[in-house]
Amino acid sequence: MTIAYDDERERVAYDAVVVAIGFDGRWFETLLGEEASGRYRDALGGGELEGVIDVDLSVAGLAPPLHLPVMAGLAQGPGFPNLSCLGLLSDRVLRRYVAVNDAGALVTERRRRA
């Protein structure tokens, strides 16, 4: 990733980048390079972005995943663009990265601690 501060540029490698500013759900499109933009368009398949948001709130068929909860309203239900669904939002996104073999065991473990 190249970070710009006025005329200065810094290149930094990250495992993941999260930008949580603004209300334009498609703000990121101008940041995509040529290759990423092509893969993004291919994943859309000529359809609307709002219709291809998967259960984990990422663009279906796009790798690496691009999670866009603010665009999930049509495909996954309303509420993800605001904090009213923050717990569900994080569960949906993290399920892609965290293996849970027995969700019931987690509930039982939480009850024992309480």
Side-chain angles (χ1 to χ4, degrees):
M1 168 175 273
T2 302
I3 302 170
Y5 302 98
D6 294 320
D7 294 332
E8 295 181 37
R9 302 283 185 268
E10 179 183 3
R11 290 198 62 127
V12 183
Y14 295 100
D15 291 334
V17 176
V18 175
V19 179
I21 59 173
F23 294 99
D24 177 8
R26 301 178 86 108
W27 64 270
F28 64 90
E29 290 176 342
T30 60
L31 300 177
L32 299 175
E34 187 176 324
E35 180 184 349
S37 184
R39 286 190 284 151
Y40 173 68
R41 282 191 308 273
D42 289 345
L44 294 181
E48 290 295 318
L49 173 59
E50 293 86 348
V52 297
I53 302 297
D54 211 345
V55 70
D56 69 354
L57 309 178
S58 69
V59 178
L62 183 63
L66 176 60
H67 298 278
L68 300 171
V70 75
M71 303 304 290
L74 291 177
Q76 299 300 324
F80 290 110
N82 61 57
L83 295 179
S84 67
C85 289
L86 188 56
L88 181 57
L89 186 154
S90 61
D91 286 347
R92 292 273 193 102
V93 171
L94 293 175
R95 75 169 54 182
R96 183 178 190 119
Y97 305 100
V98 177
V100 177
N101 295 328
D102 184 0
L106 291 176
V107 173
T108 303
E109 181 62 27
R110 287 185 190 135
R111 286 183 186 151
R112 282 187 203 145
R113 291 183 189 170

